[in-house]
Amino acid sequence: MNKFKNNVIDTFFKIKNEKFNTNLPQKIPVYDGTGLLIAFLKPLTKSTVNNSKQIKLLAKWREENSFAFPTQFKVTLEGTKKWTEGLIKEPSRILFFIETLDIKPRLIGHIGLFTFDFRERSCEIDNVVRGDKKLIKGIMTLALNSLVYWTLYSLKPYKIYLKVLSDNKHAVKFYQKNNFKKVKLIPLKKIVKEGMIIWKEKSNLKKAFRYFLKMRYVEQKN
């Protein structure tokens, strides 16, 4: 196991099993452009699986934002709980709630990391969803920046990517504004089965109806 892989798996295991310490804080701070703390990235942990309020939120946000995902299906609480269990068990995947600073904190979205390539020493930003569309203007930009910063300095990948449906123009512009540059288009093949629609990567297709756009984070030099 290479050093990078070992660090990622060990870090995610400790976070998801709530083994926090001074080097591994319980929440990642989210700052605005002036350095003011405005929110936290709160990891989904083993406790999330049995938190019915959080499972309901995850299901609600998934249903409301299904257009942005390559897989569409009927969202249920049972299915969401199973998905959350799988996420907690997956050693190289993590998801963070975006949490407000209120006395009774509110969860307003989520963002995570997945698809690690341990040889290339890379990973992908994953599952970027704004649940509450009104609270904290610009929070998704700030949350993305905080996660990228934490990833670069805690996990130390050489490259950070993401994939977005190329016809989601709003999302593409959002990522471009946040220092992600276009890398390539990946053709997708539509598969329909058992009440699901799946847009699956098919790199050998010469022409496709839909595509993923792969983008790479480019760190800005001061």
Side-chain angles (χ1 to χ4, degrees):
M1 186 180 294
N2 66 40
K3 198 173 180 181
F4 174 58
K5 182 177 182 180
N6 187 55
N7 183 38
V8 168
I9 290 174
D10 182 60
T11 300
F12 288 4
F13 177 84
K14 286 176 179 173
I15 290 174
K16 290 190 278 190
N17 286 279
E18 300 166 3
K19 298 179 182 293
F20 304 110
N21 55 53
T22 52
N23 295 318
L24 197 65
Q26 189 170 355
K27 299 174 185 178
I28 298 171
V30 177
Y31 299 101
D32 69 7
T34 68
L36 181 69
L37 179 67
I38 62 162
F40 287 109
L41 298 183
K42 175 184 176 180
L44 277 72
T45 68
K46 60 184 182 181
S47 299
T48 308
V49 174
N50 296 311
N51 188 316
S52 59
K53 286 184 179 179
Q54 292 180 1
I55 295 297
K56 283 178 184 176
L57 267 183
L58 289 169
K60 178 175 180 285
W61 295 342
R62 180 62 174 84
E63 188 168 26
E64 290 174 349
N65 295 276
S66 61
F67 66 91
F69 290 85
T71 304
Q72 279 81 47
F73 53 86
K74 181 175 174 55
V75 178
T76 65
L77 293 178
E78 183 184 357
T80 302
K81 184 174 180 178
K82 266 188 185 176
W83 176 83
T84 306
E85 288 172 345
L87 183 146
I88 300 303
K89 290 175 183 175
E90 170 57 57
S92 58
R93 186 176 196 182
I94 198 163
L95 191 64
F96 296 89
F97 283 119
I98 303 166
E99 181 186 75
T100 68
L101 301 181
D102 300 325
I103 294 173
K104 289 187 176 179
R106 286 179 280 182
L107 304 178
I108 59 176
H110 58 62
I111 186 170
L113 297 169
F114 194 32
T115 319
F116 280 78
D117 183 325
F118 293 113
R119 281 189 176 183
E120 186 188 39
R121 198 158 172 162
S122 69
C123 63
E124 289 184 12
I125 299 293
D126 177 57
N127 239 302
V128 181
V129 168
R130 177 163 188 144
D132 188 300
K133 305 292 192 286
K134 297 177 181 176
L135 286 177
I136 313 181
K137 185 179 178 181
I139 186 58
M140 297 312 292
T141 288
L142 300 172
L144 176 61
N145 291 340
S146 292
L147 181 58
V148 166
Y149 180 88
W150 178 82
T151 302
L152 286 171
Y153 292 95
S154 295
L155 304 179
K156 302 187 184 334
Y158 292 150
K159 299 172 186 175
I160 298 178
Y161 296 106
L162 61 80
K163 288 200 282 281
V164 59
L165 290 168
S166 65
D167 53 12
N168 189 345
K169 304 298 183 186
H170 176 78
V172 172
K173 281 185 180 178
F174 168 75
Y175 292 123
Q176 286 180 310
K177 284 180 183 177
N178 285 286
N179 305 319
F180 280 84
K181 309 300 179 188
K182 296 179 181 180
V183 175
K184 66 176 180 178
L185 288 170
I186 302 170
L188 301 173
K189 181 180 179 181
K190 185 178 181 180
I191 299 171
V192 181
K193 63 174 184 179
E194 299 171 5
M196 295 177 69
I197 296 175
I198 304 167
W199 291 93
K200 187 175 181 180
E201 291 184 29
K202 202 78 175 174
S203 57
N204 61 349
L205 277 183
K206 291 184 179 178
K207 192 174 181 181
F209 181 73
R210 294 188 90 184
Y211 293 84
F212 263 146
L213 173 61
K214 187 172 184 177
M215 307 181 78
R216 180 183 172 185
Y217 178 74
V218 178
E219 196 167 3
Q220 297 300 294
K221 304 296 182 183
N222 294 326

